[in-house]
């Protein structure tokens, strides 16, 4: 069995659902259920004996040690994190606590468990750390995309905390021999994406006639990857990645934010036209820029393709259509998310 942390969040939940759709190896899920953790994401697994959910903190060493001893996983996949850049600007402490201290404590608990395994199980064991392209900082227009050899230069409290966690993971391999794998992925989108992030926020705001807030000039570039492609990359790295290595994961799909927003608006015009015939793009509203906003991210994903044979399956056109469709088909999920702490957050962020 495998232990998946952060399994009630956007990518973790997609990963667990995909994993159990593709095989029968059981999953032990650990999630603290912060504002971003939503058990509704895993509702389809409620009666599934292959899935066990535990509510808890990756930084709770005693709990993690108990879970490892009781369930004896062959791998730990760490998705748990504070993940939103804007929140990290308003309040960095939770990011240090979970992403740095939490990862450290998780590594220590895993190291203690791994050290006690028989030799063959030790060799087969993997700790896979899910990280981000944001650790590399910002690229100038036209500069080559991030390779795994790119220097770390994080610019936000979020990316600094993720970079710190990546360094800890690396050190636990070099110092203690823990068989770790790190993936650094670009921007994901797809089902269960919390509507504080660009794409889901644009969809849900558009549908209720609210402004679509575009930061600064909207020309910041991100490399977008459909979440299920990220999940398949993680499965492949877990299966065949070399311990101690990092793998960049991306969609070969750089787009400026404003083009993303226009694409979402055009799909909504087609799939849910407004009764008065007006266009969703009329709701676009340019707002104050994010402090320290990284201008461009781009992932060079040749290593994972060359060494592990992984490539994304979706194009942006197919992935974004599926995503918009998913939000239109799941109004209850959106309503439940919005009735929680999300509302307060939107007030803090967009009051001005
Ligand atoms: P998310 O915010 O949607 O989910 C994070 C999950 O972690 C939530 O369920 C939350 O309850 C849980 N969590 C937070 N603190 C915890 C703790 N101390 N103990 C246990 N659980 C805790 O995030 P996401 O978008 O699903 O991102 C998952 C991982 O992937 C993160 O590590 C993030 O840095 C990384 N990542 C995200 C993206 C992206 O585009 N979303 C891209 C690259 C990498
Ligand atoms: O690159 C990977 C990262 O992608 C992950 O590590 C993070 O966890 C994930 O949140 C994401 O970070 P971003 O900051 O790129 O994502 P976000 O959706 O917040 O913003 C995407 C871009 O859109 C960014 O340039 C800021 C802009 N934006 C965002 C919001 C929420 C807007 O213009 N308006 C908005 O309201």
């Amino acid at each position: 069995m495998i232990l998946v942390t952060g399994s009630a969040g956007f990518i973790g939940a997609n990963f667990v659902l995909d994993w159990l759709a593709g095989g029968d190896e059981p999953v032990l899920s650990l999630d603290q259920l912060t504002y971003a953790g939503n058990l509704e994401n895993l509702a389809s697994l409620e009666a599934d004996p292959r899935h066990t959910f535990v509510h808890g903190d990756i930084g709770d060493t005693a709990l993690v040690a108990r879970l490892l001893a009781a369930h004896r996983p062959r791998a730990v996949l760490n998705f748990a994190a504070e993940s939103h850049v804007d929140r990290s600007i308003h309040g960095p402490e939770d990011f240090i606590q979970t992403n740095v201290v939490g990862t450290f404590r998780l590594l220590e608990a895993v190291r203690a468990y791994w050290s006690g395994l028989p030799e063959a199980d030790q060799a087969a064991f993997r700790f896979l750390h899910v990280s981000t392209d944001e650790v590399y900082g910002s690229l100038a227009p036209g500069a080559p995309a991030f390779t795994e050899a790119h220097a770390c230069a994080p610019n936000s409290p979020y990316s600094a905390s993720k970079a710190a966690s990546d360094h800890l993971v690396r050190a636990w391999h070099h110092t203690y021999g823990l068989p770790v794998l790190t993936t650094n992925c670009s921007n994901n989108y797809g089902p269960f994406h919390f509507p504080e992030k660009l794409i889901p926020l644009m969809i849900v705001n558009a549908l209720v006639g609210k402004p679509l807030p575009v930061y600064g000039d909207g020309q910041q570039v991100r490399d977008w990857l459909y979440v299920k492609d990220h999940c398949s990359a993680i499965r492949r790295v877990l299966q065949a990645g070399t311990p101690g290595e990092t793998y960049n994961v991306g969609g070969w799909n750089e787009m400026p934010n404003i083009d993303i927003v226009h694409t979402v608006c055009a799909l909504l015009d087609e799939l849910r036209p407004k009764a008065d015939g007006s266009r969703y793009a009329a709701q676009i509203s340019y707002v104050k820029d994010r402090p320290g906003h990284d201008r461009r991210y781009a992932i060079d994903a040749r290593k994972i393709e060359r060494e592990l044979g992984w490539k994304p399956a979706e194009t942006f056109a197919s992935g974004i259509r599926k995503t918009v469709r998913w939000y239109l088909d799941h109004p209850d999920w959106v309503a439940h998310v919005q009735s929680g702490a999300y509302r307060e957050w939107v007030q803090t962020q967009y009051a001005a």
Side-chain angles (χ1 to χ4, degrees), residues 1-2 16-28 45 48-52 74 235:
M1 70 120 57
I2 59 168
V16 171
L17 293 170
D18 264 26
W19 180 268
L20 292 173
D24 280 333
E25 186 174 9
V27 176
L28 175 64
L45 300 176
D48 193 323
R50 300 170 304 164
H51 181 243
T52 307
R74 69 165 176 100
R235 281 201 306 274

Side-chain angles (χ1 to χ4, degrees), residues 5-14 30-38 41 54-60 78-84 94 97-99 102 129-134 158 162 165 183-189 192-194 196-197 224-225 227 230 234 249:
T5 73
S7 50
F10 164 47
I11 306 174
N14 274 288
L30 175 65
D31 197 295
Q32 196 180 13
L33 298 180
T34 66
Y35 79 93
N38 182 352
N41 301 351
V54 177
H55 179 200
D57 183 350
I58 56 166
D60 182 342
N78 184 30
F79 293 83
E82 289 294 335
S83 70
H84 189 35
D94 287 347
Q97 203 51 46
T98 284
N99 301 359
H129 181 61
V130 179
S131 192
T132 168
D133 60 359
E134 299 203 12
Y158 163 69
K162 289 297 289 187
S165 68
T183 54
N184 293 88
C185 188
S186 60
N187 285 61
N188 286 212
Y189 65 98
F192 304 117
H193 205 181
F194 195 83
E196 64 185 350
K197 309 277 169 63
W224 294 91
L225 180 72
V227 65
H230 188 188
I234 291 170
V249 183

Side-chain angles (χ1 to χ4, degrees), residues 90 344-352:
H90 286 273
E344 290 158 36
W345 163 246
V346 167
Q347 251 174 358
T348 318
Q349 174 69 1
Y350 299 111

Side-chain angles (χ1 to χ4, degrees), residues 170-189:
R170 175 189 160 89
W172 261 239
H173 175 69
H174 283 267
T175 304
Y176 304 113
L178 190 69
V180 306
L181 298 157
T182 299
T183 54
N184 293 88
C185 188
S186 60
N187 285 61
N188 286 212
Y189 65 98

